Amino acid sequence: MAATARDLSKVESVIQLKGVNKWFGQFHVLTDINLDVKEGEKIVICGPSGSGKSTLIRCINRLEEHQRGDIVVHGVTLSNDVKNIEAIRREVGMVFQSFNLFPHLTILDNLTLAPIWVKKTPKKEAEEIAMSLLTRVRIPEQALKYPGQLSGGQQQRVAIARALCMRPKIMLFDEPTSALDPEMVKEVLDVMIELAREGMTMLCVTHEMGFARAVADRVIFMDRGEIVEQNEPEEFFANPRNERTKLFLGQILHNH
Amino acid sequence: MTDAMPVGDRKPLAPPVDETGPLGWARKNLFSSWGNGITTVVLIAFVVWVLSWFLEWALFTANFTASTGAECRGGGACWALIREKFRYIFFGSFPYEQHWRPLFAVITMLAMLVLSADRRMWNWRLLVIWGVGSFVTFLLMFGQIHIPLSLILFVALAGGGIGLTLRSALAAPSERMAYYALVAIGAMGLVLRIVGVLPAWSIAIAPLSYVETSLWGGLPVTLILATYGLAFAFPYGVLLALGRRSNLPLIKGLCVGFIELIRGVPLISLLIMASVMLPLFLPSGTTIDKFLRAQVAVILFAGAYIAEVIRGGLQSLPKGQFEAADAMGLNYPQKTLLIILPQALRVVIPPLINTFIGFFKDTSLVLIIGIFDFLNTANQALVDPNWAGFPGEVYLFAAFVYFIFCYSMSRYSKYLEHELNKGTRR
């Protein structure tokens, strides 16, 4: 496990959450979240549904607004300032459970859109970057097709390539394999593992414990809006301390 | 033992013969049972009967050559009336010897519409087509056009501004400089014009005699009201629909208020308001052309309806599309123009064209304020005492012309849906 071999205490923090709280109406969805993510660190967040794990990573690029506490990404504190938000979104790539490719654009256009319009990359250069990324996720031959013509696994790989096109420093994955047929999960996970090995800072909400074992520096367990437990994957799976963690692991490992 | 055969080796079977070909089709769809067969025969007989009666009246006993209404009486349809009156029906009170002008105006507008229907024209060419087409149309109709200096300056300012906002990401430095220059010239010129340094100068293009809008009539009036009404109402409706979904309460409130207000009143009341009430509020001496007022009323009215249609399209998009665009760092105009509207408009093509067709026909309501659109000139053709008593022929003719336009739009809607969904279909 090459990634964990590094001494992370000496590396700079790229994401800091301090006392983050969020409510949906009366419902307290995030309670006093404190989290420090180092550069190059891979974190897997798991927990029962409704535990706030998706909301947590969606707060990092401001798809959701938090109400109390501070979120600092790459030295920029998130606020309502649109310029701040856009600056952070340029550095943070996101992959969704439902892919969210743009169905009216070809695969290539899906990839080059943000580089051309947000980063002002010349079209030709953007297309070269896009093609090299499509090669990396092993579907360069699909470049001129539309998303609707691809399988779920291919679409999710395109979504990963699309996020990478912006050359992000951080990648957020929101249950990237949950909407996939079982036989397609591996092709997406392989791409993610490759990405992790290259040193990308990653936050993944996922129940793929094999993935967590393979690449995670830290596994975080959330329940009812709180971070209940976090640890290195081996310790986390072998010796869960909290009762709720034990119960959850018992349920999901039983199924896998 | 087909089971033992590998799947790849199976020969595909031809479909059963009795279900293909015209005979097979008829047997399957028209005569599949006794009840079905009888229904088919009865309906065919009915259609033949109606059609033969109509053809008898409209064609075989019709009079095409009579010179007065009296000669026409007793036979079938009196198409001689249309022959006698068609120039008035098509062009209204436009000076008779100048009728070639509205004729070419109509041809220009049709060419403009046909050209812009082609998807390959949906870029800068569209601006050229509409710029040239509109100029030619109105030059023919008015005969003379005076372009004031302030309008030229305003166009320069607006053109530069639009260029800067839309092309800021893609433009080469020289192109961007040109936009800045346009904005600078436009803004400076307008300020100087307002202060009074620049004179009230205008370019006069006057190759023909001037014909005021009160003399316009017939098909060009209907086409102008509908074409420009919808051409302005469409972007206006898009803005209203976006405004209605805005997070800013004031903008949202204004848009909702406008839409509900306009939808809550009949178009006729709006037209009467524009023609009777509006002049009361204007300072005495200033007049706004009646035709222009009707045009603005149509735009406002159509805008509200189009806004609601487009809102339906916006609501049909999954939330994930907005989130993906946000997560990539696109700003609001980019997100709206590149991701949201292209998808939302695709969804609403059928109801949108439906609204367009409705408004094409609704323009005939301008007759209430004394504008002679196509239906109104047709109506006026009946007033001639020499030709009294043939309303059926005239209205049938008017209906036929309206049908040609509406049916073309309907077919175009089909084509557009097919064309735009080509790639996205699985």
Side-chain angles (χ1 to χ4, degrees):
Chain A
M1 237 164 265
T4 43
R6 292 189 308 146
D7 186 359
L8 286 167
S9 62
K10 284 181 189 152
V11 184
E12 219 181 314
S13 296
V14 285
I15 303 174
Q16 288 164 299
L17 284 79
K18 291 174 211 149
V20 171
N21 278 277
K22 175 168 178 62
W23 290 262
F24 283 134
Q26 290 297 308
F27 179 60
H28 201 168
V29 60
L30 293 178
T31 312
D32 286 323
I33 302 287
N34 290 295
L35 180 64
D36 219 65
V37 183
K38 306 284 185 191
E39 191 177 350
E41 197 176 8
K42 295 109 191 61
I43 294 179
V44 164
I45 304 170
C46 58
S49 70
S51 60
K53 47 197 195 308
S54 285
T55 310
L56 173 64
I57 66 166
R58 287 159 60 88
C59 279
I60 293 172
N61 65 350
R62 200 60 163 201
L63 288 184
E64 303 282 357
E65 195 178 324
H66 62 284
Q67 280 120 358
R68 292 272 175 283
D70 285 322
I71 298 179
V72 184
V73 182
H74 260 278
V76 182
T77 307
L78 266 178
S79 64
N80 279 325
D81 185 352
V82 178
K83 288 268 164 270
N84 259 351
I85 297 173
E86 281 170 9
I88 286 173
R89 284 173 177 167
R90 277 196 291 273
E91 306 290 329
V92 180
M94 185 154 194
V95 175
F96 299 86
Q97 180 178 358
S98 49
F99 327 138
N100 294 347
L101 296 178
F102 304 130
H104 63 300
L105 300 176
T106 61
I107 301 303
L108 190 62
D109 288 339
N110 262 281
L111 264 70
T112 55
L113 185 90
I116 289 176
W117 289 92
V118 179
K119 274 191 156 175
K120 324 279 184 212
T121 314
K123 189 162 183 249
K124 201 160 176 297
E125 196 185 322
E127 280 175 358
E128 279 163 18
I129 297 172
M131 283 315 294
S132 75
L133 282 166
L134 282 179
T135 312
R136 219 168 104 184
V137 300
R138 293 182 280 277
I139 36 177
E141 72 282 359
Q142 312 283 2
L144 297 178
K145 288 194 185 163
Y146 286 88
Q149 298 165 311
L150 269 57
S151 74
Q154 290 173 325
Q155 288 196 47
Q156 193 60 298
R157 284 186 278 155
V158 171
I160 294 173
R162 178 174 74 173
L164 292 176
C165 255
M166 286 292 280
R167 300 260 180 258
K169 305 217 167 61
I170 301 161
M171 285 284 283
L172 307 175
F173 292 84
D174 188 0
E175 307 209 26
T177 55
S178 307
L180 295 175
D181 291 335
E183 76 269 23
M184 294 171 182
V185 169
K186 186 173 176 297
E187 64 188 57
V188 171
L189 286 182
D190 285 348
V191 169
M192 289 170 65
I193 290 170
E194 228 175 86
L195 193 61
R197 299 247 156 92
E198 284 161 23
M200 176 67 74
T201 311
M202 292 164 69
L203 270 85
C204 310
V205 173
T206 182
H207 292 159
E208 294 295 333
M209 291 306 140
F211 172 77
R213 280 212 178 87
V215 302
D217 297 305
R218 211 177 347 155
V219 180
I220 292 177
F221 174 69
M222 283 184 76
D223 191 20
R224 291 175 220 160
E226 296 168 309
I227 293 182
V228 175
E229 183 167 346
Q230 49 180 313
N231 216 328
E232 288 180 6
E234 268 162 62
E235 270 299 294
F236 181 85
F237 291 115
N239 301 309
R241 273 167 251 153
N242 192 291
E243 280 309 312
R244 285 190 266 171
T245 320
K246 283 178 196 166
L247 187 67
F248 176 75
L249 284 178
Q251 280 164 350
I252 66 160
L253 293 179
H254 184 72
N255 291 334
H256 280 255
Chain B
M1 282 286 281
T2 40
D3 282 353
M5 218 194 280
V7 178
D9 291 350
R10 269 187 215 156
K11 286 234 167 66
L13 294 173
V17 183
D18 58 348
E19 286 190 10
T20 56
L23 264 180
W25 181 87
R27 186 179 305 161
K28 195 174 157 202
N29 292 293
L30 299 177
F31 301 100
S32 60
S33 67
W34 273 104
N36 193 344
I38 292 170
T39 315
T40 303
V41 170
V42 168
L43 281 178
I44 288 178
F46 177 73
V47 168
V48 166
W49 178 68
V50 168
L51 212 62
S52 68
W53 173 83
F54 179 78
L55 287 178
E56 178 78 14
W57 175 81
L59 221 55
F60 301 132
T61 60
N63 192 332
F64 293 89
T65 52
S67 53
T68 62
E71 289 176 34
C72 252
R73 245 166 265 290
C78 181
W79 297 123
L81 167 60
I82 305 295
R83 210 172 91 130
E84 175 78 14
K85 298 285 184 190
F86 80 94
R87 282 183 62 166
Y88 182 78
I89 294 175
F90 273 120
F91 304 127
S93 319
F94 208 92
Y96 192 81
E97 66 287 356
Q98 302 270 338
H99 272 181
W100 63 272
R101 280 162 56 179
L103 174 65
F104 279 102
V106 166
I107 292 172
T108 310
M109 263 190 291
L110 291 180
M112 183 169 92
L113 291 173
V114 168
L115 280 176
S116 36
D118 189 338
R119 211 183 152 202
R120 282 167 299 180
M121 300 291 172
W122 293 3
N123 43 42
W124 57 269
R125 290 191 194 122
L126 209 57
L127 276 181
V128 176
I129 291 168
W130 279 73
V132 173
S134 305
F135 179 76
V136 171
T137 301
F138 286 104
L139 186 64
L140 284 167
M141 292 302 288
F142 278 113
Q144 308 184 351
I145 292 180
H146 297 269
I147 305 169
L149 179 61
S150 39
L151 180 68
I152 298 171
L153 292 169
F154 179 76
V155 168
L157 177 64
I162 291 170
L164 274 183
T165 36
L166 289 186
R167 308 246 328 145
S168 59
L170 308 167
S174 59
E175 190 183 337
R176 204 167 306 152
M177 278 310 294
Y179 290 136
Y180 277 121
L182 274 178
V183 170
I185 293 170
M188 288 235 305
L190 275 180
V191 169
L192 290 178
R193 176 73 193 86
I194 291 165
V195 175
V197 178
L198 289 173
W201 173 80
S202 66
I203 302 177
I205 304 170
L208 304 162
S209 61
Y210 184 72
V211 176
E212 58 180 3
T213 54
S214 60
L215 292 175
W216 296 8
L219 195 57
V221 167
T222 293
L223 276 185
I224 288 175
L225 281 175
T227 307
Y228 291 95
L230 293 172
F232 283 101
F234 178 65
Y236 178 56
V238 170
L239 287 181
L240 278 177
L242 291 171
R244 188 164 188 168
R245 290 171 55 93
S246 166
N247 293 326
L248 308 171
L250 204 63
I251 290 183
K252 184 177 174 165
L254 275 176
C255 291
V256 173
F258 176 84
I259 292 171
E260 296 303 337
L261 198 70
I262 295 286
R263 283 206 306 173
V265 299
L267 177 56
I268 289 187
S269 70
L270 208 65
L271 287 168
I272 291 178
M273 209 118 75
S275 99
V276 182
M277 304 270 289
L278 193 65
L280 299 179
F281 294 109
L282 290 173
S284 59
T286 49
T287 53
I288 302 176
D289 189 89
K290 185 164 78 175
F291 191 82
L292 182 62
R293 278 178 281 161
Q295 180 80 78
V296 171
V298 169
I299 291 172
L300 294 181
F301 200 72
Y305 278 84
I306 290 173
E308 285 300 282
V309 169
I310 291 172
R311 187 166 70 104
L314 293 174
Q315 275 171 346
S316 75
L317 290 194
K319 207 169 141 231
Q321 292 291 311
F322 295 84
E323 288 178 349
D326 281 338
M328 294 163 95
L330 295 176
N331 60 29
Y332 181 80
Q334 291 169 341
K335 177 172 70 168
T336 308
L337 289 172
L338 298 170
I339 308 298
I340 305 306
L341 281 180
Q343 293 187 59
L345 292 180
R346 249 162 249 238
V347 178
V348 298
I349 289 169
L352 198 60
I353 301 276
N354 187 33
T355 311
F356 280 20
I357 290 175
F359 271 94
F360 182 77
K361 293 180 292 182
D362 278 358
T363 53
S364 56
L365 288 172
V366 294
L367 77 89
I368 219 91
I369 56 169
I371 290 176
F372 289 83
D373 79 309
F374 186 66
L375 190 65
N376 201 7
T377 51
N379 213 4
Q380 293 296 313
L382 293 171
V383 174
D384 188 342
N386 282 332
W387 291 93
F390 303 102
E393 285 83 343
V394 170
Y395 285 123
L396 204 62
F397 177 69
F400 176 67
V401 174
Y402 273 100
F403 178 79
I404 290 174
F405 282 102
C406 294
Y407 188 66
S408 319
M409 281 196 261
S410 162
R411 296 306 302 173
Y412 179 59
S413 158
K414 261 246 150 68
Y415 153 83
L416 201 58
E417 241 181 298
H418 179 81
E419 181 72 21
L420 290 181
N421 291 328
K422 238 181 205 166
T424 48
R425 236 177 287 120
R426 247 172 197 278

